[in-house]
């Protein structure tokens, strides 16, 4: 399928001061209709070209058969859909999101024309619309005014497109075309086609369908995929409709193009814009065309009055296949490349001219714009930064070294959000602030240059000093109470300057040396005393705290010596808590109550033995009658974890065969070990001795003791039975689960180092129990359910200490 959009325009444009530069009437659709334009519609079922045009609208005839006064023409044979429409109100295109009337390169287009729609035709229809799409075109024919070919005569148009990918070879894709034509034929360099390119010329479905879109080239040409899917159902490979609506609509936003027609002075020129659906017409194309009403040559867009150090952009409409050469004032800076139709520069203090020369095989254009540079405003320096106390305050701020007019003052509490202060004086008084404020000044110079701002000034606000509260408000110290009372400050704002004390509540004395912490320990007083502190926050006046009173009691404070303060013991052992009381009348222990008593005479020596199972703190509390404050001494007893020793499972062995012991301890070690008795052991001082028994040995019970590095011990036990037979595995012939004795059916290995398996089967051959652990047995259940009384088959296999394998099997009876 193929889209073709063409507008035939014959243009003679003149500069405003010369008739030879004047643009044709309504060349830009400014009348809101197609007057002076020629239009046509058709169907390209049999291909594009002159034969596809079915309906013509002459520029000399009024509507509905001509273009005079007409603003809309419908698609050929489809009166419900507009195929040509003049746009006078801006909106956004549904698929591309771009405006329907553009502003480009500094030029505001007031009107545009829409060629095409989303209408398609795949099946039969009236007026020859079946199995084909639509073509729509407008053209303007004009006699180019005579004059020197050196005087430019330009036409500038802008286009935007929406094309549905038809997956055909390129010559049948939907497209938009521009054709510039003279009496001698088409001017190729000024007659581009815009389409979605595909790879190859044939596809898997025949008729050049199903080709792959060259998306990389499409994107390089400015196309992008629309997020809006096609409104038309995808036909599928057989054309019957797939039931899907594909996201295969591509759009290209506004692009501006310039042609110079001065080489054709005195000749007839036509320019045609046409939009064509694909061939056949199963995919749509439409586009927008906007035309400038300036025909006086190349025009540079950009400001002619700029500020020093400002960044400016200058541009000209594109010229197909052109080269661009820009020149700027010598002390300006080129910030971008100078080989495209748009440049970005940084101006200096001096003005000058900006010139561009664009050239292709159809045109050779030159334009210059004179630039005047204005000095930029200077924000200046804002002085008066200070720190004040919240409440009643006043700070004078002064702006100096600024250039321009003060527009307003600005204030901010965070440095990012600014509030306007409507004041244009270079001095400003900040008054009665409760929070810190940043100030700056905005300075401008006319409407050309952007405003500048001054440096910042900070008026920092300190919150008022708050002395806070001292706790405890009242307490007592006894004679000789060296531990003292800790006074603590809270709720203050600011920093502690110093503590003060007074014995009469009227005359206060500063601490020497200064104490500026929030806690203060008072001790060794001999008279009741009051305490307070001085607090100060920044520049704010000082404030005093609440007053704490410490009463002096002439009764002696209890005196004692305790030891040890901290100790560590093994689990299950005893610790001694020792104290010698020199002054006191009674004592108590916590949590141990043993030994609590009144004291008859001093000194008295105390010994309290404890055996805690876990780490515990013990407190000795001593009182001296008449002094309300106790002497507290804390004993911290750390209890090490108990040492658990595993000597191994009780076992049986055959005389003459070796038995390997392997004891272990719960302590991470290293531990030492000791076995008792030492009968037949090759080394009783290691955790894993080896024993070989004689015919005289019967039953031996060993105890193994593990000793940690700290000296803690633990004991484990193991009993060994010595048989006088060969190694064997004995299995009973019956057992009674649920009874009081003989309730587990297990093998009895004698002289067996390891058990390979012990298996039990019922009369149906079902395995009901299996183990390889020595000492384990069957309780008469299968999956938790008791099994029936009767006979069962067992099999057992093990290895003795010499590596010999013993295998046995038999039957037993389960009795309930």
């Amino acid at each position: 399928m193929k889209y073709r959009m063409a507008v035939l325009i014959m243009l003679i444009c003149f500069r405003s001061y010369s008739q030879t530069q004047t643009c044709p009437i309504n060349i830009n659709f400014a009348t809101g209709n197609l007057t002076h334009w020629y239009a046509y519609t058709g169907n390209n079922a049999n291909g594009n070209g002159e034969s596809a045009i079915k309906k013509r609208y002459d520029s000399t005839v009024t509507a509905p058969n001509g273009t005079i006064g007409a603003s809309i023409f419908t698609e050929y044979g489809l009166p419900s859909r507009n195929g040509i429409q003049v746009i006078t109100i801006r909106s956004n295109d549904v698929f591309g999101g771009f405006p329907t009337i553009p502003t480009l390169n500094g030029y505001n287009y007031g009107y545009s024309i829409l060629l095409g729609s989303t209408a398609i035709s795949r099946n039969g229809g009236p007026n020859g619309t079946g199995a084909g799409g639509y073509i729509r075109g407008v053209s303007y024919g004009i006699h180019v005014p005579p004059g020197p070919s050196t005087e430019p005569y330009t036409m500038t148009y802008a286009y935007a497109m929406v094309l549905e990918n038809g997956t055909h070879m390129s010559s049948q894709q939907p497209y938009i075309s521009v054709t510039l034509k003279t009496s001698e034929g088409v001017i190729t360099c000024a007659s581009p086609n815009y389409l979605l390119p595909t790879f190859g010329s044939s596809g898997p479905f025949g008729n050049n369908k199903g080709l792959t879109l060259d998306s990389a080239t499409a994107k390089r040409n400015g196309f992008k995929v629309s997020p809006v899917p096609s409104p038309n159902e995808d036909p599928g490979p057989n054309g019957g409709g797939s039931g899907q609506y594909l996201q295969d609509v591509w759009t290209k936003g506004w692009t501006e193009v310039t042609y110079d027609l001065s080489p054709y002075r005195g000749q007839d020129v036509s320019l045609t814009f046409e939009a064509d659906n694909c061939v056949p017409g199963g995919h749509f194309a439409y586009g927008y065309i906007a035309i400038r009403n300036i025909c006086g040559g190349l025009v540079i867009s950009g400001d002619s009055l700029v500020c020093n150090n400002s960044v400016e952009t200058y541009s000209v409409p594109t010229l197909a296949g052109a080269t661009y050469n820009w020149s700027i004032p010598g002390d300006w800076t080129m910030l971008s490349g100078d080989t495209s139709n748009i440049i970005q520069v940084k101006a200096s203090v001096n003005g000058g001219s900006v010139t561009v020369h664009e050239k292709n095989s159809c045109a050779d254009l030159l334009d210059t714009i004179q630039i005047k540079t204005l000095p930029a405003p200077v924000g200046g320096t804002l002085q008066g930064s200070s720190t004040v106390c919240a409440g009643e305050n006043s700070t004078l701020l002064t702006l100096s070294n600024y250039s321009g007019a003060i527009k307003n003052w600005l204030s901010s509490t965070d440095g990012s959000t600014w509030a306007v202060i409507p004041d244009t004086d270079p001095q400003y008084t900040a008054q009665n602030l409760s929070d810190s404020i940043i100030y700056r000044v905005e300075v401008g110079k006319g409407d050309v240059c952007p405003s500048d701002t001054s440096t910042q000034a900070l008026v920092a606000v300190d919150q008022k000093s708050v002395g806070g509260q001292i706790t405890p408000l009242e307490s007592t110290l006894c004679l000789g109470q060296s531990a003292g009372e800790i006074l603590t400050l809270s709720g203050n704002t600011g920093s502690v300057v110093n503590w003060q004390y007074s014995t009469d509540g009227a005359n206060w004395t500063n601490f020497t040396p200064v104490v500026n912490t929030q806690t203060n320990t008072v001790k060794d007083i001999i008279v009741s005393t009051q305490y307070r502190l001085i607090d100060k926050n920044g520049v704010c006046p000082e404030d005093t705290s609440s007053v704490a009173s410490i009463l002096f009691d002439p009764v002696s404070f209890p005196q004692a010596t305790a030891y040890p303060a901290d100790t560590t013991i093994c689990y299950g052992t005893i610790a001694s808590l020792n104290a010698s009381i020199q002054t006191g009348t009674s004592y108590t222990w916590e949590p141990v109550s043993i030994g609590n008593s009144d004291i008859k005479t001093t000194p008295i020596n105390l010994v309290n033995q404890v055996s805690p199972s876990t780490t515990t703190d013990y407190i000795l509390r001593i009182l001296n009658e008449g002094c309300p404050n106790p002497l507290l001494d804390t004993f911290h007893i750390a209890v090490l974890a108990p040492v658990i020793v595993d000597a191994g499972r009780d076992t049986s062995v055959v005389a003459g065969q070796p038995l390997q012991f392997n004891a272990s301890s719960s302590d991470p070690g290293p531990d030492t070990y000791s076995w008792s008795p030492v009968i037949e052991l090759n080394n009783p001082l290691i955790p894993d001795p080896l024993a070989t028994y004689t015919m005289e040995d019967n039953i031996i019970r060993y105890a193994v003791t593990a000793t940690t590095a700290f000296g803690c011990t633990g004991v484990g036990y193991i009993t060994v039975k010595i048989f006088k037979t060969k190694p064997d595995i004995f299995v009973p012939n019956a057992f009674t689960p649920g009874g009081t004795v003989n309730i587990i059916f297990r093998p009895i290995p004698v002289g067996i180092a390891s058990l390979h398996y012990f298996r039990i089967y019922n009369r149906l051959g079902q395995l009901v129990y299996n183990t390889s652990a020595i000492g384990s047995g069957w309780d008469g259940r299968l999956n938790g359910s008791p099994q029936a009384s009767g006979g069962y088959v067992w099999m057992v296999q093990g290895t003795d200490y010499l590596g010999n394998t013993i295998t046995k099997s038999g039957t037993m009876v389960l009795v309930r």
Side-chain angles (χ1 to χ4, degrees), residues 394-538:
S394 179
T395 301
L396 179 64
L397 303 174
T398 302
L399 180 65
S400 61
N401 302 322
Y402 68 95
S403 175
I406 296 175
K407 299 179 69 174
N408 47 251
W409 287 65
L410 302 171
S411 65
S412 175
T413 58
D414 58 10
S416 60
T417 303
W418 295 86
V420 174
I421 302 174
D423 195 317
T424 59
D425 194 87
Q427 289 187 326
Y428 176 76
T429 301
Q431 294 180 320
N432 303 327
L433 302 182
S434 58
D435 294 295
S436 298
I437 303 291
I438 304 170
Y439 292 92
R440 66 185 187 186
V441 183
E442 184 179 8
V443 179
K445 189 178 288 187
D447 297 328
V448 175
C449 297
S451 299
D452 191 27
T453 55
S454 68
T455 59
Q456 296 181 359
L458 170 64
V459 180
V461 176
D462 291 334
Q463 299 304 310
K464 291 182 178 181
S465 305
V466 177
Q469 299 80 39
I470 298 177
T471 54
L473 291 177
E474 186 174 282
S475 56
T476 300
L477 285 181
C478 298
L479 179 65
Q481 187 173 344
S482 58
E485 181 70 59
I486 300 176
L487 301 178
T488 302
L489 174 68
S490 63
N492 68 307
T493 300
S495 301
V496 176
V497 177
N498 197 4
W499 286 71
Q500 295 179 325
Y501 65 92
S502 172
T503 58
D504 58 9
N507 299 301
W508 292 89
T509 304
N510 291 326
F511 272 52
T512 303
V514 171
V515 177
N516 55 14
T517 59
Q518 291 192 264
T519 60
N520 185 20
T521 302
V522 178
K523 59 184 179 179
D524 299 328
I525 64 173
I526 58 176
V527 64
S528 296
T529 308
Q530 293 179 318
Y531 295 88
R532 71 181 188 185
L533 56 81
I534 304 300
D535 181 276
K536 191 175 190 306
N537 189 39

Side-chain angles (χ1 to χ4, degrees), residues 40-45 51-57 73-84 116-117 119-121 125-130 132-136:
Y40 57 89
T41 60
N43 176 265
N44 61 358
S51 61
I53 298 176
K54 306 298 182 181
K55 179 70 174 177
R56 304 176 190 270
Y57 302 91
F73 293 111
T74 62
E75 297 279 23
Y76 173 70
L78 193 62
S80 62
R81 300 296 292 270
N82 294 332
I84 302 174
S117 67
I120 61 172
S121 175
N127 302 318
T129 59
Y134 305 91
I135 68 170
R136 319 85 175 168

Side-chain angles (χ1 to χ4, degrees), residues 651-661 691-694 697-698 719-727 749-752 801:
T651 188
S652 299
V653 66
V654 174
Q657 285 200 339
L659 174 64
Q660 178 69 62
F661 293 92
T692 304
Y693 297 96
T694 67
D697 296 319
N698 292 302
T719 298
V720 180
K721 294 181 180 181
I722 299 94
F723 286 80
K724 306 323 191 273
T725 64
K726 293 181 179 180
V750 176
I752 300 301
Y801 288 96

Side-chain angles (χ1 to χ4, degrees), residues 221-305:
N221 290 341
F223 285 96
K224 63 180 180 181
V225 181
S226 172
V228 180
S230 172
N232 301 312
E233 181 185 5
D234 177 51
N238 299 317
S242 65
Q244 295 181 335
Y245 294 85
L246 304 180
Q247 189 175 332
D248 60 354
V249 178
W250 291 66
T251 68
K252 181 177 181 179
W254 287 100
T255 303
E256 200 171 41
V257 179
T258 291
Y259 293 121
D260 181 21
L261 303 177
S262 61
Y264 311 106
R265 292 284 188 183
Q267 301 182 39
D268 290 331
V269 176
S270 66
L271 189 65
T272 302
F273 295 92
E274 186 174 290
D276 287 12
N277 286 10
C278 69
V279 179
H283 300 88
F284 66 83
Y286 69 81
Y288 301 87
I289 300 296
I291 303 174
R292 288 197 186 197
N293 197 33
I294 299 174
C295 301
L298 188 65
V299 177
I300 297 175
S301 297
D303 293 329
S304 59
L305 188 62

Side-chain angles (χ1 to χ4, degrees), residues 2 33 46 80 117 160 237 302 442 514 535 539 553 658 700 722 759 791:
K2 181 176 182 181
N33 53 49
N46 297 313
S80 62
S117 67
E442 184 179 8
V514 171
D535 181 276
V539 300
D553 188 333
I700 303 174
I722 299 94
R759 300 168 183 162

